[in-house]
Amino acid sequence: MARVVPPKDRDGFEIAIICALQSEADAVEALFDQYWDEDGDRYGKAPGDTNTYTTGAVGCHNVVLAHMPGMGKGSAASVASIFRASFGRIKLALVVGICGGVPFLVDGEEILLGDVIISTGIIQYDFGRQLPDRFVRKDTLEDNLGRPNTEIRGFLSKLSGLRSRKRLGQNAFHFLQKLCKETDFEKAQYPGPIEDRLYERSYRHKHHELPSCTICTRCEKKGDNVCETALGSLCSDLKCHDDKLVQRQRLPASSDAAEAAGAQKPRIHFGLIASGDMVMKSGEDRDEIALTEKVIGFEMEGAAVWDNFPCVVIKGVCDYADSHKNKNWQGYAAAAAAACMKAFLKEWVPAMNPSASSIFQGLQDPLSLLPFARNAPFNSYHRQHEPTCLPDTRVDLLQEIYNWANGKDERCIFWLNGLAGTGKSTIARTVARRYSEQKRLGASFFFSRGGGDVGHAGKFFTSFAVQLARHIPQIQRFISDAITEQDDIASQSLHDQWRKLVFRPLSRLDGSSPLPSYVLIVDALDECDNEDHIRIILQLLAEARLLQVRLRVLITSKPEVPIRYGFCLIPNAERRDFILHDIKTAIVDHDIFIFLLHEMRSIAQEWALGTGWPGEQALKQLVVNASGLFIWAATACRFIRDGREYAERRLSLMLQSSASATAPERHLNEIYITVLENSIGRSYDEFEREDTIERLRKVLGSIIVLSSPLSASSISRLLHVTKQIIDQTLNHLHSILHIPEDRTCSLRLHHPSFRDFLLDNNRCNDPNFWVDEKQAHRTLADDCIRLMSISLKRDVCEQKAPGTLVADVASSRIEQCLAPEVRYACLYWIQHLQKSGAQLCDEDQVHQFLQIHLLHWLETLGWIGKISEGILAILSLEAQIPANKHPNLYAFVHDAKRFALYNRSVIEEAPLQLYCSALVFAPENSIVRRQFKDIPPWIQRKPKVRANWSAALQTLEGHSNSVNSVAFSPDGKQVMSGSEDKTVRLWDAETGAALQTLKGHSESVDLVAFSPDSKNVVSGSHGIVQFWDVEKGAVLQTLEGHWSRFHPVALSPDHNQVVSGSEDGTVRLWDVKTGAVLKTLESHLGWVTSVAFSPDGKQVVYASHGIVQFWDLETEAVLKILGGLSNCVNSVAFSPDGKQVVSGSDDGTVRLWDVKTGAVLKTLNGYYSDWIWSVAFSPDGKRVVSGSYKTMQLWDIETGAVTQTLEGHSDSVISVAFSPDSKQVVSGSEDGTVRLWDVETRAVLQTPCGHSDWVTSVAFSPDGKQVVSGSKDRTVRLWDARTEKVLKILGGHSNCINSVAFSPDGKQIVSGSEDRTVRLWDVKTGTALMTLGGNCSDWIWSVAFSPDGKRVVSGSEDKTVRLWNVETGKLLRTLKTHSDRVILVAFSPDGKQVLSGSHGIVQLWDVKTGAVLQTLEGHSSWAEPVAFLADGKQVESGSSDRTVRLWDVETRDVLQTLEGHSNSAISVAFLPNGKAQRPLFVENDWVVERGTNVLWLPPDCRETCQAVWNKVIVLGHSSGIISILELKEGSRLI
């Protein structure tokens, strides 16, 4: 078993186990796989925690065991309530121990002593009211403990299924046997069936033959007492009569305990458990409660734990909850419960994915996983010098805000809006400081355009959540739980982030408690870079009114259109508006005067200018010049202060500012000009002045057009200017720039108006300072290219290993190797190039850079998680190049686009694969492949690849099951897919990035569609249609009506109606807004398989078996019935002009119909030999696309000719759709992928030289020179392993071939097929030597030669293993003991034994006698493959349960288990010391060598089967070809 890493702290424990008795805890502890407290208590406890704990690991779970001081609800309540103080991350508590069982269940099933009960719910049977005549249990919703949470209910539902329950029982029995072998557990041995004694329910445990006991003698009915002696005596002492025993059908007849123990395995029962404060000791009360409450067991601790944790009770039955107690069973029952607990945890997979789990183990706080904008809070380090309001300024306004925040005003939002420079941010900081000091500030976010993380909404709600968790301790756990449950929450929609990270945690605060109100502050919302995000944020923040806890939201912004529009959507009763620039001039001037007085006094004191300086008159003039702009006053003060000993001179310059001007903007322009002019030394000569101006323009021009802020040090390196020059240039600009003393901190403008000023030549009328924006962008683009050219290199982070994952490299290491300016250059160089308007051409700077550094650039983007941004940049670069004028550059960029799109996922995951997988599997004629030939030398032989890029642009992976429906958004920017995995996914159509996953359906999603504005989507599932808001990820409307599963659904062109069809033969029209059924058409033609609206929305076309019909929605008449189809019609669609309909059916044809006449216009017969699953018209009406098995075809409507065949899917194409511009097609397949295709370039289909269908089995010849393959196409092919050329095609099988193998001498081949035969072939001639299988009654799954080549073994669907004589073809033996199909067989090295693998079972047979020598149980799924070690004493087995096991043949013990494989574990080898080692194999889409990922396989190159010979691996593919790859001995370094 793979070892589990101990958690860093107590937060790493998610599983709690609670035991009441020491014997229960001992059994649980004995089954720990690892112990974390052997060297002392490394984790400790919270202050005040009096519990005692044991920590360790069970399987892959870190667990903490709590030892109760005694039995009962009170003790359990005490332990559980304190538990969470120390272990706050517990997600599941297991109460493990012993209980009393109900002997007969409602369905007649028996519960025996030693069986195990798993709770599906808990009933407090003794909680209620004692009336004079009866006891009444409380069972209202408030009083009942109810069901477990959704996650646990779903898990228990699965676990109680036949297959899972069988596996659970097998594993539990295995662990029980292991436990009972321990020397310390003698009392845990099976007591034997004779000790399992059930008396009639009314038969009392008392003295039966002791007349002297008068108490027992008088005990005749329920309620009568028995003596104290009887209560503590055994049944044998009291002479309890055997004729009162109840017969038990499950008990074996034998009385021998050892024999009975071998025959009887404890059964596991699922049901309600009764929990109470008393031990149940009455058979009559037991049966009465069991009948009324439907419980199957009685215990005393579960109810108390339930109140504190998500809880499951697992208890072994030690008695029958009657008066006849028998302590002989307690040890065995405790052991059985502990064993079941371990088997339970083996199945338990928490909601959080494994990668997130490993992340959490290294962190103290899940909040660390949330992206946090460091500069967002009002008191961030970068904002420490930003001012608050001075005393006696903004008095009335601040008081109005405080009254609103503190009072009972129902309006939860306060919008403070004002023009630029009116002091909004200063007011916001003042309010934030006040409520922070009062411990009432929930969170603050100060936006800043171009400020990186504070320039957009990407980290808005996550930053809010982190602050709320820190400022309001009561909700920290709720926020942490939300992160734990969905570790990808930061990548979800703003709506989901608000709901899960902010709204729901706050809603869990009790409004009736004495919690204060809290304030949220959002400053400069207008500087968020996305208008749609601004609107969403406003809508979501308005929901604060729905919370019980009082939440006040202060928002400041300029009164720009998006902001005003967003606030218009919020009712006046829910918001309060304040227009800052409408405050009376006198009040504003007074506040500016106070501010200037404060600042000037400070300057005077600093430069000894006298206490009265500069005088009241000067201050008043400055107030006039400010014209109500605080930014003017603040800039003027900074300018004067920076003058130092020349402060008086600078004051004079400010006083000389045109007092006659009335526009505040003009005053601001003047002060900016003054600041810039004074940054140039007066003593400079002409050359020095011009040089200074040029440097100033270059540095400032770059700073103001930066896409994200950088530090002075980074700007120095980016612009290739010395730090000294940067410092000198910026030294006199502190009044307009925030220049931190820490050179690693970013430079920032004090106010965005300075950027607007420099870029506007009407405002900046001095040409010396005006910045040409295009030229500034061109300068930055050149600097970015220069910096990247000297900084980027192969393996820039020096990881060396080609399979290194981004997730495994510390962010600090990436930051160390990639400086901020390098990361900036990689992200924005193309953006600056585009904004510069530069004309690109062949062999220019850009072309030369890409020819050298393309892979280095993509690698860097992979390390910093920005490959999607890189792809968008390449797309914009391609659009910037005229292909006809500069064909070489265009061709290179186009090929780079295809290269990046094809490898996007692996660049994101493992960037160094750019130099391995990406180049190895690129087409031979790829410009990128030819340009970068330096593939690592350890890849000795590369597989053959296609010559050119196919039409497939991207493969989008993420669904875990068949993709049933796909659609392009009307704007062409997104693709949507619906799947059997019950989810709807949204993808970026350009980059392929996953945008959102919509979860809400409980069954398969059969169809999806976008609304015309792309903002809403509709999805159809079993009996349900859901309408979603894309931005919020929320369900807007749910439509129900069909009683059975329906496939088709379509949205009307006006987006107001939905039409759906069903298996019940009806077609319904729905109103989207109300959910009402508007019209119903009973077609009476059976299952409606497809529906579609006409472009004008007036008609609906729908299809059924062999029929296409039209429904007029206005008259409700069926207009036409188009027949003549011999099979079911699976898909129909209208042409864009509504004049034609296309249909695809099971007969393999596509038909075009005239809507007006109903006539068939064309029948399109292509290369299909299978069903047509989907059809669609192109928006331009010129083409039709159809999807079938693994392929799609495009048809020209005019000619009816096939213009293109698209191949790449490995299973049926269920859904197709064109992009709005008709240039791309999206497809969804049963292979679980979504693919995007370029249908404009008409890539030539390259017919592979190989099978015509899936390769199902491959094998090397003993000398490794040849490969044999079997396929679904019913042929066996022989390949040259060096050239990958087909040598021979062996035909004869009439069905799919499942297994092939070479004979030991390499002269023969054996094949097993679904045609129920085994065939022998001559390798040299290719002729069929013999057909074996006259006795086979079902498919052959596996075949193998004996080591001497004289025999063949086969495994079959009919559950048998057969042995054949190769020379005679005689059936030697048929082995029949498997209970399921036999899918793998193998001979031992000496040929005397055979291994066979089936579901969960590996059996070892004696070839000579046919006897089963050993049965190896442990796998929970199919055993595939199976093999002997060279010495024949050990066996290895892989399984689709994701484990590989090494067995000792003689003892049947598992010597080693390798866990955690996501696919069937295959290709296992072992070292001489018996330790498992997997030398070369494919798993999880990677070629793996000695447990290390070395080469990623793209979707087109994924294997369907594999075989290994030394360092050579052959892969079979769904396309019918094989790939052969050879690795060289030596290091695997980049």
Side-chain angles (χ1 to χ4, degrees), residues 146-432:
R147 301 180 296 171
N149 65 34
T150 304
E151 182 181 9
I152 294 177
R153 290 205 309 272
F155 176 70
L156 292 176
S157 176
K158 173 190 173 185
L159 205 60
S160 61
L162 291 176
R163 188 170 67 89
S164 296
R165 187 187 295 210
K166 179 181 178 181
R167 183 170 64 245
L168 181 71
Q170 290 172 339
N171 289 330
F173 187 55
H174 169 74
F175 295 133
L176 178 60
Q177 288 181 308
K178 179 180 177 181
L179 183 60
C180 290
K181 291 178 182 177
E182 298 285 338
T183 55
D184 296 333
F185 285 88
E186 293 86 356
K187 293 183 179 180
Q189 303 303 315
Y190 179 62
I194 196 171
E195 294 295 325
D196 190 340
R197 302 167 67 83
L198 171 65
Y199 289 92
E200 296 175 358
R201 66 175 191 160
S202 60
Y203 186 63
R204 299 291 296 278
H205 185 71
K206 64 173 187 175
H207 288 102
H208 292 284
E209 298 180 6
L210 187 65
S212 59
C213 180
T214 56
I215 297 177
C216 288
T217 301
R218 291 195 297 268
C219 177
E220 296 180 352
K221 63 182 183 302
K222 179 181 176 181
D224 292 344
N225 294 327
V226 299
C227 71
E228 291 295 328
T229 303
L231 290 175
S233 300
L234 300 176
C235 286
S236 57
D237 297 333
L238 300 179
K239 308 299 182 184
C240 291
H241 297 160
D242 287 354
D243 60 357
K244 296 296 184 179
L245 290 173
V246 178
Q247 186 176 359
R248 310 289 271 155
Q249 298 298 322
R250 279 181 53 204
L251 288 177
S254 172
S255 61
D256 180 78
E259 179 183 344
Q264 180 192 334
K265 298 178 182 178
R267 287 191 184 175
I268 299 173
H269 307 271
F270 293 81
L272 295 173
I273 288 186
S275 185
D277 281 323
M278 302 175 294
V279 178
M280 175 59 68
K281 289 190 174 184
S282 167
E284 292 175 283
D285 289 335
R286 172 202 68 202
D287 288 352
E288 182 180 344
I289 294 172
L291 181 64
T292 57
E293 303 295 349
K294 306 296 187 295
V295 298
I296 63 174
F298 292 83
E299 61 89 62
M300 300 175 63
E301 294 81 30
V305 178
W306 191 283
D307 286 335
N308 293 276
F309 296 108
C311 172
V312 174
V313 177
I314 302 176
K315 297 221 168 178
V317 178
C318 67
D319 58 57
Y320 287 119
D322 57 11
S323 57
H324 302 275
K325 294 293 180 182
N326 187 346
K327 291 190 177 183
N328 291 343
W329 285 91
Q330 289 188 358
Y332 182 76
C340 186
M341 171 274 301
K342 184 165 184 175
F344 181 97
L345 288 179
K346 185 179 178 66
E347 302 287 332
W348 172 258
V349 179
M352 183 177 62
N353 63 42
S355 61
S357 178
S358 63
I359 292 171
F360 275 120
Q361 288 188 357
L363 300 174
Q364 288 187 337
D365 188 353
L367 295 172
S368 304
L369 288 182
L370 286 183
F372 183 73
R374 291 183 303 167
N375 296 338
F378 83 98
N379 58 350
S380 67
Y381 177 82
H382 290 276
R383 298 185 184 278
Q384 60 183 314
H385 300 297
E386 295 179 352
T388 55
C389 296
L390 292 172
D392 200 29
T393 63
R394 303 295 197 186
V395 175
D396 294 339
L397 172 57
L398 289 173
Q399 190 58 51
E400 188 169 340
I401 294 173
Y402 298 150
N403 291 342
W404 161 79
N406 301 333
K408 297 182 179 180
D409 194 325
E410 294 298 324
R411 293 172 290 184
C412 64
I413 290 182
F414 192 113
W415 179 29
L416 178 65
N417 76 83
L419 301 176
T422 51
K424 301 180 295 298
S425 296
T426 302
I427 295 168
R429 283 190 294 273
T430 305
V431 176

Side-chain angles (χ1 to χ4, degrees), residues 492-698:
Q492 295 182 13
S493 68
L494 290 173
H495 180 275
D496 285 329
Q497 292 181 35
W498 159 258
R499 279 280 165 192
K500 298 168 185 176
L501 293 175
V502 180
F503 188 85
R504 287 178 186 169
L506 285 170
S507 67
R508 297 178 71 175
L509 292 175
D510 186 358
S512 62
S513 63
L515 288 171
S517 60
Y518 289 95
V519 177
L520 303 180
I521 295 178
V522 183
D523 180 61
L525 180 57
D526 55 287
E527 297 201 21
C528 176
D529 66 359
N530 187 297
E531 295 180 2
D532 289 334
H533 292 170
I534 291 174
R535 178 174 53 80
I536 293 170
I537 288 172
L538 289 174
Q539 289 176 349
L540 296 176
L541 290 176
E543 294 180 3
R545 70 188 185 281
L546 304 175
L547 294 165
Q548 286 187 321
V549 64
R550 279 169 47 82
L551 193 67
R552 293 289 182 261
V553 185
L554 172 64
I555 299 173
T556 76
S557 75
K558 294 194 285 289
E560 296 181 349
V561 173
I563 301 286
R564 296 204 309 271
Y565 175 72
F567 274 106
C568 285
L569 299 177
I570 302 174
N572 291 330
E574 296 173 9
R575 75 173 200 268
R576 184 169 181 175
D577 300 349
F578 192 100
I579 301 174
L580 194 56
H581 49 273
D582 283 355
I583 297 178
K584 291 181 180 179
T585 302
I587 296 175
V588 176
D589 286 349
H590 168 267
D591 291 345
I592 292 177
F593 183 90
I594 297 296
F595 172 77
L596 289 169
L597 179 63
H598 175 271
E599 292 295 309
M600 292 303 172
R601 282 177 177 173
S602 174
I603 295 170
Q605 184 178 2
E606 185 175 351
W607 295 103
L609 298 175
T611 55
W613 186 85
E616 183 176 354
Q617 192 61 36
L619 291 176
K620 288 182 177 179
Q621 184 59 50
L622 290 175
V623 170
V624 171
N625 291 352
S627 297
L629 291 181
F630 273 85
I631 185 60
W632 189 97
T635 305
C637 290
R638 283 193 296 268
F639 175 67
I640 294 169
R641 184 186 299 277
D642 290 344
R644 301 174 180 267
E645 62 268 24
Y646 299 104
E648 286 192 88
R649 176 183 171 277
R650 292 197 171 189
L651 172 63
S652 298
L653 292 173
M654 292 296 96
L655 292 172
Q656 292 168 14
S657 177
S658 175
S660 61
T662 56
E665 186 180 89
R666 182 176 300 175
H667 287 284
L668 200 56
N669 295 344
E670 290 175 355
I671 195 170
Y672 285 148
I673 284 288
T674 304
V675 171
L676 292 172
E677 287 179 341
N678 278 271
S679 67
I680 302 170
R682 293 189 305 277
S683 61
Y684 289 173
D685 60 25
E686 188 65 24
F687 171 81
E688 291 169 339
R689 177 180 174 82
E690 289 181 3
D691 184 63
T692 302
I693 290 174
E694 181 62 30
R695 286 188 330 207
L696 189 67
R697 193 162 47 231
K698 176 180 173 65

